[in-house]
Amino acid sequence: MLVDGSWAGIVSALPQAPAGLTGFTVQEMLLDQAHRGQGFGPAMQQRLIEHLRGQDDAVLAGTIHAGNVASLASARRAGRDVIATYVWVTPTRSGAQGMPGLDVQ
């Protein structure tokens, strides 16, 4: 995405969707710090959606960490809906990195 001739961010999607659905999955969305909080995030997502139009049965899926409040708000402003949430737990703290174990209070 260009803003006044300068790179502001990038968004990409893969031609696949989860759960056997037809569509695309957002792979990455990056917005330069200087352009955050100005409405460019939702605009960038809308441009992606417009680019992918023409496939009536296609969905656009993606995963946003629950703690990423700004990205969740941006996705909602772009017209995306939360349709599923996942809770990851590993048996112990020695489980997968970034996933709390059952012993976490």
Side-chain angles (χ1 to χ4, degrees):
M1 174 180 205
L2 295 174
V3 175
D4 297 328
S6 297
W7 282 101
I10 188 168
V11 62
S12 66
L14 291 175
Q16 62 190 33
L21 298 170
T22 300
F24 304 87
T25 299
V26 175
Q27 199 61 42
E28 193 65 72
M29 182 172 163
L30 302 169
L31 192 58
D32 182 67
Q33 181 70 35
H35 295 91
R36 294 178 187 168
Q38 301 175 54
F40 293 120
M44 202 160 57
Q45 292 183 58
Q46 272 305 126
R47 292 292 304 267
L48 174 63
I49 291 166
E50 290 167 9
H51 180 75
L52 299 175
R53 283 217 165 108
Q55 299 185 40
D56 292 337
D57 60 344
V59 299
L60 178 63
T63 302
I64 301 171
H65 188 279
N68 192 340
V69 177
S71 289
L72 286 168
S74 178
R76 297 300 300 259
R77 284 194 304 273
R80 295 172 64 192
D81 292 315
V82 175
I83 59 167
T85 59
Y86 300 92
V87 176
W88 294 95
V89 178
T90 58
T92 66
R93 283 188 189 267
S94 62
Q97 183 177 2
M99 297 181 188
L102 294 174
D103 56 345
V104 175
Q105 299 296 320

